[in-house]
């Protein structure tokens, strides 16, 4: 997968969704999937992350950036919706150029064991896709995620985010819960076993599981990001255990 053109597409679609939200006039719409946030907060979050990562990539930092002072490191313009969306667009244009220059294997700081520029590209392809869904939800019915991006998002959720969130949030030990997330619009499935502090992946395993959730790649990805409820999926087995996923993998 060539993630750079996909990133440009997703960032452009996010920008379009934001401009549509601003076209509704004051007050700035709230984002139902991000309680307490307006569309401007959403733009500030994603645009700030883009600028922070551009700094990491440009300087090829191999240690965490210096902790910012209490004021925003990358303040969002307060001169109106056009200035806010233009500010976002500038950051979104710079980031893929840096990814293109560095390639996927340049050593840089990340919060993960994988310390490469490619890690950030994968993460940042998924983020504007999910936040585009958020922005669209502020004004109507959001469209599904691109299938290829959604598959990448599910894989990242189980491979990268599940172990990380368990560590960050001191989640309770697993007791043998085995989950399967099965894509109904493609061949992929993801089987995850929680054993003590371990998250064990069993890619494509056909074996028995405690609970299986089936749906489109988009719905699976959005469920794992707490954007859609379990009722969006076809659930078999111990249906009560599906909500327990967010105890074993706490949100951040």
């Amino acid at each position: 997968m060539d993630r750079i053109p996909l990133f440009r597409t997703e960032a452009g679609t996010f920008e379009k969704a934001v401009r549509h939200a601003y076209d509704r006039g004051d007050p700035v719409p709230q984002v139902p999937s991000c309680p307490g946030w307006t569309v401007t907060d959403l733009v500030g979050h994603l645009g700030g992350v883009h600028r922070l990562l551009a700094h990491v990539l440009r300087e090829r930092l191999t240690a965490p950036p210096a902790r910012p002072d209490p004021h925003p490191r990358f303040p969002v313009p307060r001169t109106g919706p056009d200035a806010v969306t233009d500010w976002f667009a500038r950051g979104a244009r710079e980031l893929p150029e840096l990814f293109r220059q560095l390639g996927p294997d340049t050593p840089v700081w990340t919060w993960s064991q994988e310390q490469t520029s490619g890690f950030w590209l994968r993460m940042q392809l998924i983020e504007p896709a999910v936040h585009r869904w958020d922005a669209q939800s502020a004004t109507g019915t959001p469209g599904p995620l691109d299938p290829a991006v959604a598959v990448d998002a599910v894989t990242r959720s189980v491979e990268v985010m599940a172990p990380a969130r368990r560590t960050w949030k001191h989640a309770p030990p697993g007791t043998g819960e085995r989950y399967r997330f099965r894509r109904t619009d493609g061949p992929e499935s993801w089987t995850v076993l929680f054993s003590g502090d371990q998250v064990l992946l069993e890619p494509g395993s056909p074996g028995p599981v405690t609970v299986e959730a089936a749906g489109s790649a988009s719905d699976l990805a959005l469920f794992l990001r707490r954007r859609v409820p379990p009722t969006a999926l076809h659930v078999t087995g111990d249906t009560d255990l599906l909500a327990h996923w967010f105890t074993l993998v706490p949100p951040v």
Side-chain angles (χ1 to χ4, degrees), residues 221-245:
L222 291 167
F223 169 76
L224 291 168
R225 292 290 294 263
R226 302 196 78 176
R227 263 54 178 192
V228 302
T231 52
L233 307 173
H234 178 67
V235 183
T236 55
D238 186 350
T239 56
D240 291 338
L241 196 62
L242 191 57
H244 186 59
W245 173 271

Side-chain angles (χ1 to χ4, degrees), residues 9-41:
T9 297
E10 295 294 347
T13 307
F14 172 82
E15 180 188 344
K16 182 178 179 180
V18 167
R19 291 189 186 276
H20 176 68
Y22 281 139
D23 284 345
R24 294 170 66 99
D26 289 330
V28 176
Q30 297 285 320
V31 181
S33 50
C34 301
W37 279 20
T38 68
V39 168
T40 299
D41 295 319

